[in-house]
Amino acid sequence: MPQANQIEINPFQQKTEAVAALQAEGITVEAWAPFAEGKNDIFHNPVLSKIGAKYGKSVAQVITRWLVERDIVVLAKSTKPDRMAENLNVFDFALSNEDKAEIAKLDSMFAAIVNHDTVDNLKRISAWKMGV
Ligand SMILES: NC(=O)c1ccc[n+]([C@@H]2O[C@H](COP(=O)([O-])OP(=O)(O)OC[C@H]3O[C@@H](n4cnc5c(N)ncnc54)[C@H](OP(=O)(O)O)[C@@H]3O)[C@@H](O)[C@H]2O)c1
């Protein structure tokens, strides 16, 4: 078995079942596009912004913390040193169960590369694209 598996994981693609299955096998899970490549206006998402405001943290820090708390390696990319430092500064706060329940509601809204691997996802993507 591989020691690590790198897959898209972010608030819009949470991969809860896949992460649990991989971790149960002792495989380290790594998240690419942890910020959804900045798409879908993720850095202004109202749910993530509201959670960040409670702790004096940015959306990027909320996402990074959420991944760290799931024992997922965060492959966040930034070309800017100040943002690299910001993205690492997540070890002085913790998300509440209420925060995590709010983030869970953002799942499957958007994939950086369209995730059409299950009928359930197809239905959710279709409903989202149709605005229903
Ligand atoms: N996307 C893929 O298909 C893929 C596949 C496999 C591996 N990877 C790897 O995964 C890593 C993650 O990069 P990614 O391209 O997938 O996207 P990502 O990390 O989800 O998002 C990167 C974007 O977020 C911005 N950003 C980073 N920190 C920020 C902050 N604190 N505030 C506001 N904006 C911020 C970056 O802009 P600035 O640079 O301007 O800060 C950039 O536009 C990379 O090392 C990549 O090589 C990606």
Side-chain angles (χ1 to χ4, degrees):
M1 293 293 274
Q3 292 210 328
N5 196 5
Q6 189 182 125
I7 56 178
E8 178 185 356
I9 311 174
N10 54 56
F12 304 136
Q13 284 296 313
Q14 303 192 10
K15 307 279 171 73
T16 310
E17 288 177 19
V19 169
L22 290 165
Q23 290 178 336
E25 293 287 339
I27 297 169
T28 298
V29 179
E30 304 179 353
W32 63 257
F35 303 146
E37 300 176 334
K39 292 177 183 168
N40 204 28
D41 207 18
I42 194 164
F43 294 112
H44 299 102
N45 180 275
V47 171
L48 301 171
S49 299
K50 189 176 163 194
I51 293 170
K54 282 200 302 184
Y55 304 107
K57 293 291 181 183
S58 67
V59 165
Q61 290 169 320
V62 169
I63 296 170
T64 305
R65 179 73 203 183
W66 170 74
L67 289 163
V68 166
E69 290 189 15
R70 294 175 66 193
D71 290 327
I72 294 170
V73 175
V74 188
L75 297 171
K77 174 234 143 189
S78 180
T79 55
K80 299 177 176 62
D82 58 331
R83 285 182 177 169
M84 293 177 193
E86 173 190 326
N87 297 345
L88 285 168
N89 183 17
V90 299
F91 297 100
D92 57 355
F93 79 112
L95 298 171
S96 68
N97 288 337
E98 185 186 47
D99 298 333
K100 286 182 258 197
E102 286 300 306
I103 295 172
K105 293 179 191 166
L106 300 177
D107 197 14
S108 291
M109 287 178 65
F110 171 86
I113 295 173
V114 175
N115 180 7
H116 48 82
D117 55 348
T118 66
V119 171
D120 193 42
N121 271 351
L122 280 176
K123 284 180 181 168
R124 282 195 278 190
I125 291 165
S126 300
W128 173 66
K129 295 260 185 219
M130 299 288 285
V132 293

